Amino acid sequence: EEAHRGGLEKCGKVCDTRSEGWALLGLAETYRATGALDSARMDYQQAMDRFTRTKSGTEIAHATLGWCEAERAGGRLHLDQYGAVERIYRDKELRHCLLQCLTSKAAALRMSGRAGEAAECLSEAHQLALEAGLEHELSIISSMQADPAAAPSFPLNFP
């Protein structure tokens, strides 16, 4: 947290809006991982604001996915937002980001009682992870496929 906060301060001093957004993403992800969901949501929203100013659709998608995951951890689902993020990643052919989105979306779909759609997302995410040789992601996806009730939270890592 301290490193991200320090980075955010430095970016603000030199008026680097895009880097501020990335520092806010780091803070938000740290807060989400520790269960500080209000802080996570606030920083994801601020990151979205920074990326909106820099007109970066990809980075807005990253912040939106993180916000959705923080909301999901609090029991609120935004399936439409997962879909919007998914479309951006598909359009830009960002396969690693897409597999993270599909895995997160599958967890949200399971929570909303839509197991069939969740299974489709996991199947595609599994194929993407296999093709890229992403062992950690394969492990998460495989455990979700083995346990139809699983809807874990996992760290987001945007390349």
Side-chain angles (χ1 to χ4, degrees):
E1 175 186 356
E2 185 178 318
H4 292 297
R5 180 88 38 220
L8 178 61
E9 289 174 19
K10 289 177 185 174
C11 294
K13 287 179 184 176
V14 297
C15 300
D16 185 345
T17 304
R18 183 172 183 250
S19 294
E20 280 183 78
W22 279 103
L24 285 160
L25 275 180
L27 277 169
E29 194 61 15
T30 299
Y31 289 136
R32 186 172 70 87
T34 60
L37 299 178
D38 288 339
S39 294
R41 283 189 293 270
M42 181 181 71
D43 284 347
Y44 282 125
Q45 288 284 356
Q46 289 180 20
M48 280 187 248
D49 173 66
R50 299 311 191 279
F51 295 140
T52 298
R53 285 193 251 160
T54 62
K55 297 177 175 46
S56 174
T58 300
E59 291 165 331
I60 293 168
H62 297 340
T64 301
L65 180 57
W67 177 80
C68 286
E69 285 295 275
E71 285 281 275
R72 182 172 70 86
R76 290 172 298 281
L77 303 177
H78 301 278
L79 295 174
D80 58 330
Q81 294 297 315
Y82 286 102
V85 169
E86 180 184 347
R87 283 187 297 280
I88 290 168
Y89 292 157
R90 283 188 191 284
D91 289 346
K92 296 184 181 263
E93 299 180 8
L94 299 171
R95 297 167 61 80
H96 182 259
C97 296
L98 177 60
L99 93 81
Q100 289 185 112
C101 180
L102 289 169
T103 307
S104 298
K105 182 179 176 183
L109 286 164
R110 282 182 170 180
M111 290 175 69
S112 69
R114 294 163 65 179
E117 290 174 73
E120 290 173 17
C121 287
L122 288 174
S123 178
E124 183 178 356
H126 187 265
Q127 186 60 40
L128 289 168
L130 272 175
E131 290 170 5
L134 299 171
E135 296 299 324
H136 178 71
E137 288 82 350
L138 276 170
S139 173
I140 292 168
I141 295 163
S142 294
S143 70
M144 288 178 74
Q145 288 174 319
D147 178 2
S153 180
F154 56 91
L156 298 173
N157 176 20
F158 301 110

